[in-house]
Amino acid sequence: MADKQAELEVGGETYDFPTIQGSVGPDVIDIRKLYGTTGRFTYDPGYKSTASCESALTYIDGDEGVLLHRGYPIGQLAEQSSFMEVSYLLLNGELPSKDELDEFSHTITYHTMIHDQMRQFYQGFRRDAHPMAIMCGVVGALSAFYHDSTDISDPEQRKIASHRLIAKMPTIAAWAYKYSVGQPFLYPNNSLSYTGNFLRMTFGVPAEDYEVVPAVEKAMDRIFILHADHEQNASTSTVRLAGSSGANPFACISAGIACLWGPAHGGANEAALNMLREIGTPDRIPHYIERAKDKNDPFRLMGFGHRVYKNYDPRATVMQKTVREVFDALNVSDPVFETALRLEEMALQDDYFVEKKLFPNVDFYSGVILSAIGFPTTMFTALFALARTVGWVAQWNEMISDPDQVIGRPRQLYTGPTARDYVPIGQR
Ligand code: ACO
């Protein structure tokens, strides 16, 4: 809804721009005509003040620590829902009826196998390849195997591609793990849930029956819910930007996986656990806090701080609780959890972290849980990619369905040399 005007005075002239109101959250100033009317661009590296699109999927209030999917608070979804139900919600806008959920789960279950020729792709990677390197390659390669779902102008093909991506991701991620440990790949088992199936394909072996531990299945499902979508973060924006050129969905999701891999984004859960293990014991925490505060030291507390949350990340609250549930279910403990709790407590009493509003984010505790379940650190970001795939495809679908969608093409502030004549090599 456009109503109020924003005034901009530049070069002695005043220009009016409409402001647009969303359903909740700050108004935006619509500057689409800025260049045409003023001959100026805006300058906003990192998009700290820029809304790149309109979206009805996910809402975050970073100051209040609120995260809503289609209006539903993440805490309620994590406690009461399932990853399949949240996936349906993100894709379709409403919670499903029982029949709708059964049908959706059935469809996803029956898309979990990957083309058998793709098994050979894995052999091309070194055994010590990072699972995210394998995920980028194998997911991108899906476009070479599923030609019948790459026409993005056909809603039915987009739907099939979305289902395929969500369904095949656990198989692809589990096989990346199996390949790294030299164990045979397990095919999906349709009698199991989405999450149970993933656990079996990851930790099962053909010689033995694999028993899915219900508490672990529930914890894993909850971790998937917590990672399902997070509005216009770096990897989602990457998927949208790649998709804006008309690229096929498999290529777009592969681009998202590549972006997610970075330690400032999805790679932070791996980095956070490595950091906690390096700290080792609570008595060493003050040293690391001092390092994090030192401007001359590149070290940061991994799993701390967030571009949008300037309050406790609501996902971190659920994660902290889930650590205890998994420890109880598996009858294990890990001193790293005590270190994490103590580090959080000490950092939140320190002026540096208080003033900069740096709180634990979703990655701070997720590594502790995943490690207790048995995942090596290199798999952490792969699990994030698996769960975020539903958010990526929902955002991609939303963008492609928008009749006003155009190719994403930022402008720049050019600071290089002005025009000059070419000098032949002998005269330089
Ligand atoms: N440890 C120490 N200092 C920090 C940290 C941290 N984890 N995070 C931010 N700061 C400081 C910065 O040094 C900076 O200080 P300055 O103003 O004195 O220069 C200030 O806080 C603001 O930091 P920015 O990097 O400008 O904040 P931005 O919003 O761009 O970055 C980010 C957010 C990348 C998440 C950052 O907090 C960070 O690097 N955290 C560690 C990595 C991490 O946990 N990433 C996971 C994010 S959640 C996710 O992707 C699922």
Side-chain angles (χ1 to χ4, degrees), residues 57-60 67-70 72-90 95-96 101 104 166 193-195 198 215-231 233 309 313-316 318-319 322 325 362-363 366 369-370 383-392:
L57 276 153
T58 292
Y59 173 72
I60 302 174
L67 167 60
L68 310 176
H69 291 317
R70 302 284 194 186
Y72 296 102
I74 189 66
Q76 290 182 20
L77 294 173
E79 285 293 333
Q80 300 173 49
S81 186
S82 68
F83 182 65
M84 274 300 94
E85 192 177 54
V86 171
S87 298
Y88 183 98
L89 173 70
L90 286 169
L95 287 169
L101 181 59
F104 179 70
I166 296 164
S193 71
Y194 183 85
T195 305
F198 170 66
V216 172
E217 183 181 17
K218 191 163 176 10
M220 197 72 232
D221 201 71
R222 189 181 287 162
I223 291 174
F224 290 163
I225 294 173
L226 294 177
H227 288 91
D229 191 47
H230 213 228
E231 55 120 300
N233 55 82
Y309 293 118
D313 179 340
R315 301 168 301 173
V318 184
M319 281 291 184
T322 309
E325 285 174 9
V362 66
D363 293 321
S366 63
I369 305 174
L370 295 173
L383 301 182
F384 191 159
L386 183 172
R388 182 55 58 84
T389 295
V390 64
W392 288 332

Side-chain angles (χ1 to χ4, degrees), residues 278-318:
E278 186 185 315
I279 295 174
T281 48
D283 58 299
R284 284 162 51 85
I285 292 173
H287 168 66
Y288 284 87
I289 289 192
E290 285 315 308
R291 283 191 61 194
K293 289 158 54 175
D294 182 353
K295 283 262 152 272
N296 300 316
D297 187 333
F299 175 78
R300 283 186 170 198
L301 283 191
M302 299 314 284
F304 250 80
H306 197 277
R307 168 61 62 80
V308 179
Y309 293 118
K310 301 303 168 197
N311 200 327
Y312 214 95
D313 179 340
R315 301 168 301 173
T317 318
V318 184

Side-chain angles (χ1 to χ4, degrees), residues 19-70:
T19 60
I20 310 177
Q21 260 181 321
S23 44
V24 60
D27 293 356
V28 301
I29 304 169
D30 179 354
I31 54 155
R32 277 175 288 186
K33 298 205 171 112
L34 181 79
Y35 180 59
T37 50
T38 70
R40 266 91 168 173
F41 298 134
T42 54
Y43 180 61
D44 185 21
Y47 310 114
K48 290 193 174 191
S49 300
T50 298
S52 61
C53 63
E54 205 178 299
S55 179
L57 276 153
T58 292
Y59 173 72
I60 302 174
D61 182 336
D63 294 324
E64 296 298 324
V66 169
L67 167 60
L68 310 176
H69 291 317
R70 302 284 194 186

